[in-house]
Amino acid sequence: MKEHVRGRWLLAAGSASALLLTFSSAPASSAPASSSAPLPAPLTAQVAADSSWHAGIPPLATPWTDKVGPNNALPEYPRPQLTRDRWQNLNGVWEFAKANTGEAVPAGKSLGERVLVPYPIESALSGIQRHEDRMWYRRTFTVPANWKVGSGNRLQLHFGAVDYDAKVYLNGVSVATHRGGYDGFDVDVTDALTASGPQELIVWAEDLTDATGQPIGKQRRTSDHGIFYQGSSGIWRTVWMEPVPAASITSLGLTPSVSGGNLKIKVNSSGGTGLTVRASARGGGSVVGAADTVLTLPMPRAHLWSPSDPYLYDLSVSLVDRGKAVDAVGSYFGMREIGTAPGADGKLRITLNGKILFNQANLDQGFWPDGLNTAPTDAALRFDLEQDKAMGFNAVRKHIKVEPDRWYYWADKLGLMVWQDMPAANTGPIPVEWRPQFEAELHEMVREHSSWTSIIAWVPFNEGWGEWSREDTGRIATSVTEQDPSRLVNAHSGVNCCNSHGDSGAGDVIDFHQYLGPATPAPSGTRVAIDGEHGGFGLKTSNHMWFGDGQAYEMEPSSSVLTAKYVANQEAVITSAKYCGISAAIYTQITDVEGELNGFFTYDRQKAKMDLRQVRAINKKIIASADGSGANVPQPPAGTPGLEGVAFWPLDGSYGTLTPVNNPPFVAGHNGQGVSFDGSTQALDAGKPVLDTASDYSAAAWVKLDKADGAFQTVISQDGPSNSDFFLQYSGADQKFAMSFAGVRALAGFKPSPGQWYHLVGVRDTVKGELRLYVDGALAGTASACMPQAAPTGNTLIGRGKYGGNPVDYLDGTADQVHLYDRALSLAEIQQLYTSGN
């Protein structure tokens, strides 16, 4: 039987021009049992008076808010990759109370409030809609007699996630403790059951959120109206139970190998020794072998999984004890392989199934105005991914959050490659006592999600949040690679940004962030390069904003302008892919979140903010164009020979063709006289653009600084429309000399001394796509600057720069012997110029 996923994609900007497009995915093999799993059996014992539960009123309601009630709180089978026929959902109305420190377990006592599990208590859907540091949950359940628990079967309770510390009690007996807000845990409660009748289940939870060093992602106790949001505490994923045999399958590890033509399977088991496994794929191979070991299931001539054809195989697994099958589960997998390979231009790029495929991705934070960390329904959970596909994206970055299993199931089914972040702790360095916990949760995230077809990369750190040392970041990234060598590891997304300690050199990816962007890192011989975040164009939408207002990196006045900005921004992604060799670009973001208004959709998912037909067209164009062929970079003209250049100002008592601004005086120079600048108002203006910034060029000067502190000082620049096209400068942020573009710096490796003469040469090389800085005749620094520059528009200046449309970064010191060249000088020429003293 073949299955087609059916649904609707919204492709429009606003309701007035809405178009509902029915779609059909590529055929897949029969759905795993999870897609047609039975709804939970009726509960035979329930907490008193469901009618006492009432949903809160969220500031914004989604299309699914009013679909949620006591009898249908996320009823779907929660574990699609390991399915059994018998199970019971424990979501629904539970008793609830605030917990006090040191309080006794309230066994046998009714609690005063009602909460709808599994929605976090701060959410409107929970019915509580407030934060508590500590809390009690209570309910009863009855074990179905036909489950034969205690007569060969055991009873497993499953908690999808509890944020953050949890203790579980059954019939007053402590049966489990767990720490970690984003990973699940299972509890064998058989020995704590009473002989018959209702069983009392009590859960204690504590969540101090940003008051500790725990991994929290974007959660905060109080939203900052910016990039951090209302936290989610307590039970926030499905709670359920099932009977399992005494000897049973606990988990599956599935690793496809396209190049090897097989699937590696590890069937983890408990409750027995000497157990064997039988595994077979519908339409594929089969294998028999020992449990708890890696088996190889042949998959010759496999139907491969890809975003354009997300084909999935059903998998049946049996656990055998002395010739008898004692347990059986259903699962599924996709045959795909992620890797890297050089493109036609020689730059290393990401491959899927051995072929270069650009990852055109959307940033997805997974927050909801009605359920906060928890999507209101499974249809809602699926919606964002459906829109990604409809808009032409083939990838998603799951941004510092871990989702319930069904989110990854839909990514598998719909065909989206997932970059999976580790939830960050606070932005500062993680306290020493919390670092082992962070690493443990990271490796648990990888373990729990190692079998999802859609996940193709792990991201341990974002923008340096929580990093405590570059060396440890590299060590952690390497440990993730050792744990899962089948996927890419992106050690630090946004390594150029914010709290980052710098590039450790570890992992498979060089990842820059640039708003509005796109970012333009270049790959190395061993690591691909990606734009990990860019974009962030925003639009206000009345009656669809969490705070009634908000912001973005750049606000636009209308949907049409916003759409045009997006399309132009994505055209630049193509240029970055062709010239720089980036393998992925991640746009911010799928929806608004609280005060962030930079989504394709409003936070309530009620309105599309762009013309999504144009979005789809440019996204498809990027994937088709960024194929690894690279750009046909034109060879620059030979330029003017000799070491005088196209302009030479010796500054020996004469400004020459330069116009003085506020009359900087002549003083003793490096060779004869030079010009002294006061650091605040003085400059020399060439009156025209001397250099063609669309081609190769070099700029040289002798300079002596009067101070070297945190202020920027520009020796030579050329004005552009908003910023200087280049800066030969002292970078106050780094306290080093630099040859720079806005946001890109080739830095020297030392801090200059005031009062000392230095010879600086800045080179723009368009063929190599880089900036080079030479100090005193030696190469001092390089930086990737692969994007082509526009033709010149402003004057060449000595003694200041331009940024944000304003004159800035005035030189506080003396300049002498200024040369400009219409070509990239060679090292030999630079050494000759330096030794000449001119």
Side-chain angles (χ1 to χ4, degrees):
M1 172 183 172
K2 299 291 185 181
E3 181 194 49
H4 295 257
V5 178
R6 308 288 306 176
R8 284 178 158 183
W9 288 344
L10 179 62
L11 264 163
S15 59
S17 58
L19 168 70
L20 289 173
L21 174 64
T22 301
F23 73 93
S24 174
S25 77
S29 62
S30 291
S34 59
S35 65
S36 57
L39 294 178
L43 300 179
T44 56
Q46 176 67 311
V47 296
D50 282 357
S51 60
S52 66
W53 171 83
H54 299 283
I57 300 174
L60 294 173
T62 72
W64 306 276
T65 303
D66 62 2
K67 305 292 194 296
V68 177
N71 298 317
N72 67 343
L74 297 179
E76 294 79 15
Y77 194 92
R79 191 179 59 189
Q81 280 200 324
L82 200 160
T83 64
R84 292 186 177 95
D85 292 336
R86 295 189 296 179
W87 71 290
Q88 188 175 101
N89 198 321
L90 298 180
N91 292 344
V93 177
W94 292 40
E95 295 179 356
F96 179 84
K98 173 184 176 180
N100 297 310
T101 303
E103 185 177 7
V105 180
K109 300 177 182 178
S110 180
L111 306 180
E113 296 181 87
R114 300 293 179 265
V115 61
L116 187 62
V117 170
Y119 301 101
I121 62 169
E122 294 88 346
S123 72
L125 289 178
S126 74
I128 303 299
Q129 212 167 2
R130 70 176 188 273
H131 174 78
E132 297 287 359
D133 284 352
R134 299 165 191 88
M135 64 212 80
W136 293 111
Y137 293 82
R138 179 179 179 271
R139 65 155 297 154
T140 61
F141 63 86
T142 300
V143 181
N146 63 358
W147 283 9
K148 295 182 170 44
V149 172
S151 302
N153 285 339
R154 311 286 295 177
L155 184 67
Q156 287 275 348
L157 283 183
H158 301 282
F159 292 85
V162 180
D163 199 356
Y164 174 72
D165 282 295
K167 299 177 183 177
V168 181
Y169 303 88
L170 190 67
N171 298 320
V173 176
S174 174
V175 293
T177 61
H178 181 265
R179 165 165 280 192
Y182 292 94
D183 52 88
F185 60 101
D186 308 325
V187 189
D188 184 335
V189 298
T190 311
D191 295 338
L193 294 170
T194 60
S196 62
Q199 312 290 330
E200 182 189 48
L201 174 61
I202 294 176
V203 177
W204 173 92
E206 178 183 76
D207 184 21
L208 305 182
T209 318
D210 48 337
T212 76
Q214 70 194 50
I216 51 176
K218 287 288 195 84
Q219 297 183 71
R220 297 296 184 267
R221 286 193 182 203
T222 304
S223 168
D224 68 350
H225 288 225
I227 66 168
F228 300 109
Y229 321 126
Q230 171 63 62
S232 293
S233 301
I235 299 171
W236 70 277
R237 291 189 197 153
T238 292
V239 183
W240 58 291
M241 65 181 186
E242 65 175 344
V244 298
S248 62
I249 297 167
T250 58
S251 64
L252 301 176
L254 308 175
T255 306
S257 173
V258 171
S259 56
N262 60 58
L263 177 76
K264 300 295 185 183
I265 303 177
K266 186 180 181 185
V267 180
N268 299 304
S269 68
S270 67
T273 57
L275 302 172
T276 58
V277 168
R278 297 172 185 160
S280 62
R282 182 175 298 180
S286 60
V287 65
V288 177
D292 304 298
T293 61
V294 177
L295 308 177
T296 301
L297 189 151
M299 293 295 298
R301 300 177 300 279
H303 189 155
L304 303 184
W305 181 97
S306 70
S308 60
D309 183 12
Y311 189 90
L312 298 172
Y313 284 92
D314 285 336
L315 181 68
S316 298
V317 181
S318 298
L319 189 66
V320 179
D321 185 6
R322 288 166 290 190
K324 179 183 178 182
V326 294
D327 194 13
V329 298
S331 190
Y332 74 89
F333 64 94
M335 286 297 294
R336 65 101 186 92
E337 190 169 82
I338 196 74
T340 63
D345 60 355
K347 293 183 171 68
L348 197 67
R349 286 180 165 85
I350 294 172
T351 61
L352 179 69
N353 303 329
K355 298 179 180 179
I356 290 171
L357 180 63
F358 191 84
N359 283 220
Q360 177 66 355
N362 211 352
L363 192 86
D364 184 330
Q365 310 212 54
F367 280 77
W368 298 84
D370 46 12
L372 299 181
N373 247 14
T374 305
T377 70
D378 191 60
L381 190 73
R382 188 176 71 241
F383 174 84
D384 287 356
L385 296 172
E386 288 177 332
Q387 304 318 306
D388 288 323
K389 287 292 287 188
M391 290 187 290
F393 290 100
N394 64 5
V396 175
R397 180 180 175 196
K398 177 45 65 176
H399 191 38
I400 49 179
K401 184 193 176 193
V402 184
E403 292 287 1
D405 285 355
R406 291 192 66 85
W407 189 90
Y408 302 96
Y409 166 69
W410 286 116
D412 289 354
K413 293 286 286 183
L414 293 168
L416 285 159
M417 296 178 287
V418 173
W419 292 68
Q420 178 61 53
D421 289 11
M422 171 63 191
N426 276 307
T427 55
I430 296 174
V432 172
E433 64 272 20
W434 280 94
R435 292 172 189 174
Q437 180 66 23
F438 174 85
E439 294 189 44
E441 290 188 38
L442 168 64
H443 287 292
E444 179 63 14
M445 178 189 76
V446 173
R447 187 194 70 80
E448 288 187 16
H449 297 81
S450 63
S451 296
W452 298 109
T453 304
S454 50
I455 296 177
I456 57 102
W458 304 113
V459 187
F461 288 98
N462 175 73
E463 294 182 349
W465 298 354
E467 283 188 80
W468 57 91
S469 78
R470 182 169 55 190
E471 294 73 23
D472 280 303
T473 295
R475 172 186 59 79
I476 289 167
T478 300
S479 72
V480 173
T481 298
E482 292 169 350
Q483 182 181 4
D484 182 7
S486 71
R487 291 179 173 91
L488 302 177
V489 174
N490 182 358
H492 18 209
S493 184
V495 69
N496 64 321
C497 179
C498 314
N499 295 30
S500 174
H501 285 258
D503 188 359
S504 68
D508 307 293
V509 182
I510 301 166
D511 178 331
F512 283 12
H513 294 179
Q514 186 172 334
Y515 290 98
L516 302 159
T520 58
S524 69
T526 58
R527 294 189 296 166
V528 299
I530 75 165
D531 167 347
E533 290 181 33
H534 77 282
F537 298 96
L539 179 67
K540 294 183 180 181
T541 311
S542 297
N543 302 318
H544 295 274
M545 295 182 287
W546 178 258
F547 295 116
D549 202 353
Q551 70 287 317
Y553 290 94
E554 180 180 296
M555 297 301 295
E556 312 305 339
S558 66
S559 176
S560 60
V561 173
L562 178 64
T563 302
K565 287 280 190 176
Y566 178 78
V567 171
N569 183 262
Q570 299 308 290
E571 289 284 0
V573 168
I574 297 176
T575 306
S576 182
K578 286 183 172 293
Y579 279 82
C580 304
I582 63 170
S583 286
I586 302 169
Y587 184 83
T588 303
Q589 59 185 328
I590 177 66
T591 73
D592 296 348
V593 184
E594 295 195 4
E596 290 188 56
L597 303 182
N598 47 20
F600 289 102
F601 292 85
T602 54
Y603 191 24
D604 56 13
R605 280 74 167 175
Q606 301 275 10
K607 296 283 185 180
K609 298 167 68 175
M610 297 187 202
D611 179 351
L612 300 186
R613 295 177 182 85
Q614 293 187 54
V615 170
R616 180 180 176 87
I618 187 63
N619 287 347
K620 290 291 189 182
K621 180 180 178 181
I622 291 170
I623 295 168
S625 302
D627 59 357
S629 58
N632 183 19
V633 180
Q635 293 296 310
T640 304
L643 288 182
E644 182 167 298
V646 294
F648 172 44
W649 295 291
L651 303 179
D652 283 329
S654 170
Y655 298 123
T657 59
L658 299 169
T659 299
V661 179
N662 293 322
N663 298 310
F666 291 98
V667 297
H670 181 268
N671 186 347
Q673 290 184 305
V675 172
S676 176
F677 300 86
D678 63 6
S680 61
T681 63
Q682 296 173 331
L684 300 176
D685 191 335
K688 63 180 181 179
V690 177
L691 296 175
D692 179 6
T693 47
S695 187
D696 285 6
Y697 54 88
S698 303
W702 286 91
V703 64
K704 179 176 67 172
L705 301 178
D706 290 340
K707 65 178 182 180
D709 56 14
F712 282 78
Q713 302 180 52
T714 297
V715 183
I716 307 172
S717 70
Q718 187 163 290
D719 284 351
S722 181
N723 306 322
S724 295
D725 286 336
F726 72 90
F727 307 79
L728 184 61
Q729 66 180 173
Y730 166 79
S731 168
D734 307 283
Q735 299 195 9
K736 298 172 182 177
F737 287 124
M739 176 61 172
S740 308
F741 291 163
V744 178
R745 297 175 197 147
L747 289 165
F750 66 96
K751 180 178 180 177
S753 298
Q756 178 176 332
W757 283 102
Y758 296 93
H759 187 248
L760 306 183
V761 181
V763 175
R764 166 58 168 160
D765 187 329
T766 59
V767 175
K768 289 189 176 180
E770 66 182 14
L771 298 179
R772 296 192 290 272
L773 173 69
Y774 298 82
V775 180
D776 292 345
L779 180 64
T782 63
S784 172
C786 43
M787 294 285 273
Q789 281 186 282
T793 58
N795 295 353
T796 301
L797 278 299
I798 300 170
R800 75 149 174 88
K802 181 180 180 181
Y803 192 82
N806 299 310
V808 295
D809 304 342
Y810 285 89
L811 176 62
D812 193 345
T814 304
D816 193 11
Q817 304 293 313
V818 178
H819 294 263
L820 299 178
Y821 302 88
D822 58 354
R823 58 192 178 88
L825 292 183
S826 69
L827 175 60
E829 290 175 313
I830 291 168
Q831 290 173 336
Q832 184 181 348
L833 184 64
Y834 166 63
T835 55
S836 74
N838 293 322

